[in-house]
Each structure stands twice: as C-alpha cells, then as structure tokens.
Amino acid sequence: MRADLLHNMSAPPKSVMKYSGLADLASTTGPGGSGVCSMKFKGSSVFGKPVRFTLTVALMTKTPAFILRHLGIEPIEDGQKQLIALIDARARELTLPDGCVVIPTLTEHPILWSDTLAALAVLCKCSDSIWLRNKTTALSTGLQHTQVTLLVPPLFARRLPKGPL
C-alpha cells in the first residue's frame, strides 16, 4: 500500500456499525455522531452491585507470620505458603463470580464479608481493574492496599448475602 494513501480524511466513514444490546440501560441526552460531538448518557452509572472489601491498616505491609497470628493461627516456618493456602481456600468459598470488575471505592458501598481472609482473598487476587478468583495470590500487592470495591454483575448479585457476614 502506498504511504500517501495512509492519511486521515476528515470525511465520516461510509459504513456505520450499531450495537444495541445494552440500549435499554441508557438513553441519550445529547447529540452524537461520527466524532462531531460527544454523546452523553443518562441512567444508572453502575450495572451490578458494588461490594467493598476492607483490610485493617494495621495489617498492611506486615509479614505472613504476623497476619497468621492476627488470625489466631500459629505460623509454620515463615508462614507464606500457609497464608496463601488459606487465602486461596477463602477465595473459593466467596459467592462471587470467577471475575469481577474493580470500580472506585465509595464509603456507601456495602461490606458483605468483614473477615480478614475475605479481604485478603480479594486484595491479593486483583489488579487495579479486575479481580480473578484463580489468579495467583500476590501477597506483596494485596498488602499495599486497604480496600477495593468489586462490581458484581446483576445475575450473580442474587447469590450474594443479603447483609454483612
């Protein structure tokens, strides 16, 4: 292909693709088009149920042995493998989908699981954008944060506890 053909013409495209699978979740409040002006939406800004997990600041950057003692468990050797096994087991018990989007945390987001292991199971298996149940547990990453909010899809929200556990 010749290089002089690789430029951006300011004419709108000749084909228009339209996806309306989620159209009932939002309706337009402003004009839209092919980049001429932005499109705005009204409606619910969250599609799903936010669930917040918090870890006490006193546990941040602590050793696995310290955390195990906080849980009332006597550590074996350095305790890292022992703590990871407990975190992985707790992650399997949580009635969450295998993956959830991480959203900005607000204080009004409910905390359904207040136990330390549940918070560790989420914090140690998430990035800034997603939580994955089967992700390798990263203690060093998880212990750098005190809270995270997951957005649970509506179909899975029915499985969540009705109130704090």
Side-chain angles (χ1 to χ4, degrees):
M1 182 174 253
R2 292 183 16 207
D4 60 342
L5 295 178
L6 299 174
H7 64 306
N8 182 9
M9 297 177 66
S10 57
K14 293 182 177 156
S15 315
V16 176
M17 295 179 67
K18 183 177 179 184
Y19 173 74
S20 61
L22 301 175
D24 58 335
L25 299 178
S27 60
T28 60
T29 60
S34 59
V36 177
C37 53
S38 63
M39 182 174 272
K40 299 176 183 176
F41 292 93
K42 66 178 182 178
S44 177
S45 60
V46 176
F47 185 63
K49 179 173 177 68
V51 179
R52 186 165 50 114
F53 293 84
T54 61
L55 184 66
T56 177
V57 176
L59 293 179
M60 282 184 63
T61 68
K62 299 297 183 189
T63 64
F66 181 91
I67 295 169
L68 285 167
R69 286 190 197 95
H70 172 79
L71 294 171
I73 299 169
E74 191 56 39
I76 302 169
E77 296 179 23
D78 72 352
Q80 184 165 337
K81 288 182 181 177
Q82 187 180 8
L83 182 57
I84 288 173
L86 289 170
I87 290 170
D88 289 342
R90 186 66 178 117
R92 286 188 298 274
E93 294 171 357
L94 294 173
T95 54
L96 293 169
D98 289 338
C100 287
V101 174
V102 173
I103 61 172
T105 300
L106 300 175
T107 55
E108 61 263 18
H109 292 158
I111 299 172
L112 299 181
W113 293 277
S114 58
D115 63 287
T116 300
L117 273 176
L120 286 169
V122 173
L123 288 166
C124 293
K125 291 179 172 284
C126 75
S127 67
D128 291 337
S129 56
I130 192 165
W131 174 76
L132 297 171
R133 184 187 317 273
N134 294 326
K135 181 181 181 289
T136 302
T137 302
L139 283 175
S140 60
T141 304
L143 294 174
Q144 293 176 0
H145 304 285
T146 57
Q147 63 182 350
V148 68
T149 297
L150 302 181
L151 183 61
V152 179
L155 292 177
F156 284 91
R158 295 183 206 131
R159 301 178 190 174
L160 295 175
K162 299 299 180 207
L165 296 176

